[in-house]
Amino acid sequence: MTDLLIPTSGWYVLGNARLHGSLTPGLDGPFDRDGFALVDIAIADGKVTGIAARGERPAPPRSIDLAGRIVLPCFVDCHTHVDKGHIWPRMPNPDGSFAGALGAVGADRLVHWNAADVARRMDFSLRTAYAHGTKALRTHLDSVAPQETISWPVFEEMRDEWRGRIDLQAASLIGIEGVREAAWFETLARRVAAAKAVLGAVTYMLPDLEPLLDRVFRTAIEFGLDLDFHADETGDLAAVSLRRIAEAALRHRFGGKILVGHCCALSRQPDGEVLETLDKVAAAGIAVVSLPMCNLFLQDRRHDGTTPRWRGVTLLHEMKARGIPVAVASDNTRDPFYAYGDLDMLEVYRMATRILHFDHPVGDWPKTVAATPAEIMGVDAGRLAVGSPADLVIFKGRSWTELLSRPESDRIVVRDGRAIERSIPDYCELDELMGSAWTSKP
Ligand SMILES: O=c1cc[nH]c(=O)[nH]1
């Protein structure tokens, strides 16, 4: 959008901007049928100093006429895996399945994941997310021994480097069976606590799932940690680990935050059972993040020449109706769990709208990529209000149908009141990490 020049100093007004009611507390209408109001946004010293109904505006260059373009707060991506991003060229998923992904990542990790490899791919991912307008991001870190000794120091350095641009959080990621090694798990929890991070695991329906969850909760309480689980990322009707997590949270009267990702099996289970599970999830104060793109890729993967019949996503509508905080997020990017993706939360929202029907009505679904994940992560982001940092994205679209139909590659990302230089890194930067299996030469 070369026609818009955002001042680099002083105060200015973004005039005639469309803000969404769900992301702008206290915004007075009138709202259009998409839930947007036309306003002038005053910005000074990197902060939003006023949001007012369209009115008298100063003359250019202090006033920039957005002609009704949509302005959203910067995005919050609460479930990613930037430690494994972009390994697809050297380690594709052999059959597109969850088991194929686990095996491929395990093999790649053993051979390639030294500190330099992890750091370069992580930095590539963060530059991409930043350019797309993301302000806060939680990544899981594969923490199966000895990887935790490599990836956690890299993460802590990366978090320092990115402070002020992306608020970076991490959650440990191990299969729940790893919790059986009590002494090792306690050491991991100490590392997580020292890094001011979040304790996590992937739950499976193991015979000892309940005692393992008890150990996770006891450890989180002992170290004062929040929790983040991957649960029921399968079409297996018998997968009810989300319910087991909720029961454990209630049993332990857990006071920290809990985020659970995926919960795919829920949408295949009988209604009565599902509603009982959701009541427990609501009572336990658990938040849920759906990862629609990764779910489409892995779930209902068939090898018999037939077409997938199931979208794989969880029951976000039913959850929201019960007051369960719900978000959507990027998940994996160009790795065996998901071959595609670019950490672009506009793409995630566009896909979620189509797959999960975030329309008719749109209501407050936009919160799923901004305000709600910000609350889940406990960061000051995801809303535009007077006094908040002027961290926002200006799009060309003036309505949801315009915004969600095009990639909006020329969006303007404003941080602390100034337009950032958006440069999406080139894949060829990573070619040398991809080994002999990959060459950019024809
Ligand atoms: O979806 C998933 C599950 C486990 N590990 C990942 O990286 N992604």
Side-chain angles (χ1 to χ4, degrees), residues 13-252:
V13 172
L14 294 174
N16 218 351
R18 270 199 166 78
L19 288 187
H20 201 260
S22 68
L23 298 173
T24 318
L27 183 65
D28 289 330
F31 295 102
D32 64 20
R33 66 177 174 204
D34 280 358
F36 290 105
L38 274 172
V39 298
D40 295 339
I41 309 169
I43 293 172
D45 300 324
K47 291 211 175 331
V48 175
T49 53
I51 297 177
R54 293 172 60 190
E56 293 259 312
R57 286 180 220 118
R62 289 291 160 216
S63 176
I64 299 127
D65 185 0
L66 295 192
R69 289 168 166 134
I70 290 170
V71 173
L72 296 179
C74 279
F75 298 114
V76 179
D77 202 347
C78 69
H79 181 125
T80 71
H81 294 264
V82 297
D83 60 337
K84 60 172 71 98
H86 302 287
I87 64 172
W88 182 274
R90 70 182 183 208
M91 189 55 78
N93 184 323
D95 60 3
S97 70
F98 184 84
L102 268 187
V105 165
D108 192 73
R109 194 195 306 121
L110 268 181
V111 178
H112 293 294
W113 292 28
N114 57 38
D117 178 73
V118 173
R120 285 210 24 211
R121 291 184 293 96
M122 235 187 222
D123 182 67
F124 185 96
S125 289
L126 294 174
R127 281 186 281 144
T128 309
Y130 181 67
H132 288 314
T134 287
K135 173 177 170 170
L137 178 145
R138 179 180 290 178
T139 181
H140 295 267
L141 292 180
D142 277 23
S143 298
V144 176
Q147 192 61 43
E148 81 282 23
T149 62
I150 300 168
S151 294
W152 280 88
V154 170
F155 160 76
E156 289 190 67
E157 243 178 67
M158 204 62 73
R159 182 176 53 187
D160 287 346
E161 251 173 58
W162 276 85
R163 208 178 297 286
R165 288 177 292 164
I166 293 186
D167 202 338
L168 195 53
Q169 287 187 358
S172 54
L173 185 70
I174 56 168
I176 188 91
E177 69 282 358
V179 176
R180 289 181 187 138
E181 303 287 329
W184 175 83
F185 183 60
E186 188 180 321
T187 309
L188 177 65
R190 267 183 214 290
R191 185 183 285 281
V192 170
K196 298 191 172 34
V198 177
L199 192 63
V202 186
T203 52
Y204 301 106
M205 294 308 294
L206 302 175
D208 56 346
L209 175 61
E210 279 190 36
L212 292 175
L213 282 172
D214 283 336
R215 180 170 292 159
V216 172
F217 276 87
R218 275 198 306 271
T219 307
I221 290 166
E222 184 185 343
F223 289 97
L225 296 169
D226 290 339
L227 289 168
D228 191 324
F229 294 97
H230 286 62
D232 308 327
E233 193 179 354
T234 168
D236 179 359
L237 271 82
V240 291
S241 69
L242 172 63
R243 184 193 292 215
R244 298 285 173 264
I245 292 167
E247 288 165 351
L250 293 168
R251 201 161 54 241
H252 290 269

